[in-house]
């Protein structure tokens, strides 16, 4: 099912020490966790609502991702949700998930179950039943023990039809601002279903919550290395790291012979222990004849993502006498960052010569080496 998402990230986060949505968790800004997860789950549009003066911070935190845009929010959470709703494009009746950036661990399964529960209802929310004994504090000690029967604690995401949620907000009587969107739809007479939530959808509220969240994402770091070489042949263009460069010769290969992308693909596959480029894209297969090598790199990233992993950074070294790489190096970095959905500062491209030695020094061919660091979930 096609859906949109609103990620609310306009709060001050004062109880967590301030700016919690921009703090780093597992090497990534908190807000990026939710945006990446919702895009990976199939959102065709993600609106990130931030404070008006934080729009540049959103650009930096979400660099390399596509399918999102940031808008300025308001003083109250409800103001920010309305700003997100107004910024949505597409069919007014399509589902929209409203999610707090302070809950970074949303899963594709959670999204799927919420969308399914929305069928025949006005809303669906993730929630967990209360399991602890609940006490009401008085002026001097416990005032009462509260019956927890039937009590659930709401989480996000919360799912609605966009136009239904917008109409419910328009009918909100004013006064005290709602603390979640389900309350707005309930007040308007809507049916909101409870979907079993996820304990990992914890809300980062206090500084100690970040330490707990870091333990939830315990991962192993791995490094992979790749190497590739191609002979020079007739032609007028060479592809290196996804960028075409005018030259008096071309590299010979079954695909487009982009040695940089081939080496990088092998580095990522090697870090996963998942064979090499020849295993997945054999040169004996005619479908890869003349293929653009970014297809191989994208496929390696998809295999990494399917295992719950992520790419941390890459470093490519091109070994040749000619063409000169430096004039094209920035374009190569930008192209790799785009393909890999990485920040630019996580992508390095370098070049060196062999000072006339060996096959690259004699200009018989060009070589490339690459290193990639990945993170994978710990087994078990």
């Amino acid at each position: 099912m096609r859906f949109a998402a609103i990620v609310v990230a306009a709060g001050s986060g004062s109880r967590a020490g301030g700016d919690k949505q921009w703090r780093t968790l597992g090497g990534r800004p908190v807000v990026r966790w939710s945006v990446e997860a919702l895009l990976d789950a199939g959102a065709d549009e993600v609106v990130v609502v931030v404070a008006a003066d934080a729009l540049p911070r959103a650009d930096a935190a979400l660099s390399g991702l596509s399918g999102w845009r940031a808008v300025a929010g308001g003083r109250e959470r409800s103001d920010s949700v309305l700003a997100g709703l107004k910024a949505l494009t597409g069919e007014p009746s399509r589902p929209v998930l409203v999610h707090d950036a302070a809950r970074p661990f949303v899963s594709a399964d959670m999204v799927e179950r919420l969308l399914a529960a929305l069928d025949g209802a006005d809303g669906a929310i993730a929630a967990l039943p209360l399991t602890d004994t609940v006490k009401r504090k008085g002026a001097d000690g416990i005032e009462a023990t509260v019956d927890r029967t039937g009590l659930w604690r709401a989480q996000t995401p919360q799912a609605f039809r966009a136009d239904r949620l917008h109409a419910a907000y328009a009918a909100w009587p004013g006064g005290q601002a709602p603390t979640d969107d389900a309350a707005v739809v309930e007040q308007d007479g809507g049916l909101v279903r409870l979907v079993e939530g996820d304990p990992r959808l914890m809300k980062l509220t206090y500084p100690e919550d970040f330490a707990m969240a870091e333990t939830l994402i315990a991962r192993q770091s791995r490094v992979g290395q790749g190497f590739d070489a191609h002979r020079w042949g007739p032609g007028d263009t060479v592809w290196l790291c996804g960028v075409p460069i005018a030259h008096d010769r071309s590299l010979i290969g079954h695909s487009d012979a982009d040695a940089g992308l081939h080496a990088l693909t092998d580095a990522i596959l090697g870090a996963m222990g998942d064979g090499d480029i020849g295993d997945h894209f054999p040169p004996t297969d005619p479908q890869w004849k003349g293929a653009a090598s970014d297809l191989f790199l994208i496929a390696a990233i998809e295999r990494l993502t399917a295992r719950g992993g992520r790419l941390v950074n890459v470093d490519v070294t091109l070994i040749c006498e000619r063409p000169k790489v430096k004039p094209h190096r920035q374009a190569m970095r930008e192209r790799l960052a785009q393909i890999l959905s990485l920040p630019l500062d996580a992508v390095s491209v370098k070049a060196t010569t062999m000072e006339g030695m060996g096959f690259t020094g004699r200009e018989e061919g060009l070589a490339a080496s690459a290193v990639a660091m990945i993170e994978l979930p710990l087994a078990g």
Side-chain angles (χ1 to χ4, degrees):
M1 182 184 296
R2 296 175 65 84
F3 69 95
I6 297 169
V7 176
V8 184
S12 64
S14 57
R15 289 178 292 179
D19 291 344
K20 63 184 177 184
Q21 63 271 53
W22 311 117
R23 287 177 58 179
T24 298
L25 177 65
R28 288 184 282 171
V30 167
V31 68
R32 189 179 181 103
W33 283 84
S34 296
V35 175
E36 280 190 354
L38 290 164
L39 288 171
D40 289 344
D44 52 21
E45 180 181 18
V46 177
V47 175
V48 185
V49 189
V50 301
D53 61 358
L55 291 169
R57 301 183 78 171
D59 289 335
L62 302 174
S63 172
L65 297 180
S66 59
W68 69 275
R69 68 183 182 283
V71 299
R75 179 180 177 182
E76 301 289 346
R77 182 187 182 281
S78 53
D79 298 325
S80 294
V81 173
L82 274 172
L85 283 170
K86 291 175 182 176
L88 291 176
T89 61
E91 289 295 323
S93 61
R94 70 173 167 165
V96 58
L97 267 61
V98 183
H99 185 57
D100 294 331
R103 298 183 188 270
F105 302 137
V106 60
S107 67
D109 174 69
M110 188 78 260
V111 169
E112 185 177 343
R113 289 191 288 120
L114 284 167
L115 293 175
L118 191 56
D119 186 26
D122 297 291
I125 73 169
L128 291 171
L130 288 180
T131 56
D132 295 325
T133 297
V134 180
K135 304 288 186 179
R136 179 180 294 115
K137 182 180 179 297
D140 184 24
I142 296 172
E143 180 180 275
T145 299
V146 180
D147 183 7
R148 67 179 183 231
T149 304
L151 295 181
W152 292 61
R153 51 189 180 96
Q155 300 178 307
T156 67
Q158 299 187 352
F160 312 91
R161 299 285 174 181
D163 52 358
R164 181 67 180 89
L165 181 58
H166 201 284
Y169 264 108
W172 182 256
Q176 187 174 357
T179 57
D180 79 344
D181 308 292
V184 179
V185 175
E186 295 162 29
Q187 173 69 29
D188 197 40
L191 169 64
V192 179
R193 292 195 176 116
L194 291 179
V195 173
E196 186 80 24
D198 187 340
R200 292 169 296 183
L201 269 173
M202 60 180 294
K203 187 174 183 180
L204 301 175
T205 304
Y206 301 105
E208 55 267 28
D209 294 334
F210 279 83
M212 187 178 298
E214 289 285 358
T215 66
L216 290 176
I217 56 172
R219 302 164 78 82
Q220 55 179 322
S221 296
R222 293 186 180 185
V223 175
Q225 179 266 339
F227 180 85
D228 191 50
H230 287 279
R231 291 182 292 116
W232 287 114
D236 58 10
T237 304
V238 56
W239 283 85
L240 293 174
C241 293
V243 174
I245 300 172
H247 193 47
D248 57 8
R249 287 184 288 178
S250 295
L251 292 172
I252 300 173
H254 188 65
S255 62
D256 63 7
D258 190 326
L261 294 191
H262 292 180
L264 186 51
T265 301
D266 264 353
I268 295 169
L269 292 172
M272 290 189 286
D274 195 15
D276 61 26
I277 194 170
D279 294 326
H280 299 284
F281 308 99
T284 55
D285 191 334
Q287 69 173 309
W288 308 122
K289 179 69 174 176
S293 295
D294 56 2
L295 296 176
F296 310 150
L297 188 56
I298 291 169
I301 292 297
E302 289 174 346
R303 295 180 72 85
L304 175 62
T305 302
R307 289 177 56 176
R310 74 178 186 96
L311 188 62
V312 178
N313 72 291
V314 298
D315 185 11
V316 180
T317 301
L318 301 172
I319 307 164
C320 60
E321 303 295 318
R322 296 186 306 129
K324 294 301 181 184
V325 170
K326 188 173 183 179
H328 309 282
R329 185 167 60 187
Q330 186 66 12
M332 293 177 186
R333 293 180 65 215
E334 291 174 355
R335 178 58 180 148
L336 288 177
Q338 179 186 40
I339 296 171
L340 301 170
S341 295
L342 281 177
L344 191 61
D345 64 2
V347 177
S348 171
V349 175
K350 309 188 302 295
T352 189
T353 71
M354 292 295 289
E355 298 186 356
M357 300 180 292
F359 73 93
T360 62
R362 294 189 298 269
E363 298 194 48
E364 297 169 2
L366 178 148
S369 66
V371 176
M373 174 174 280
I374 66 170
E375 288 183 346
L376 286 173
L378 288 172

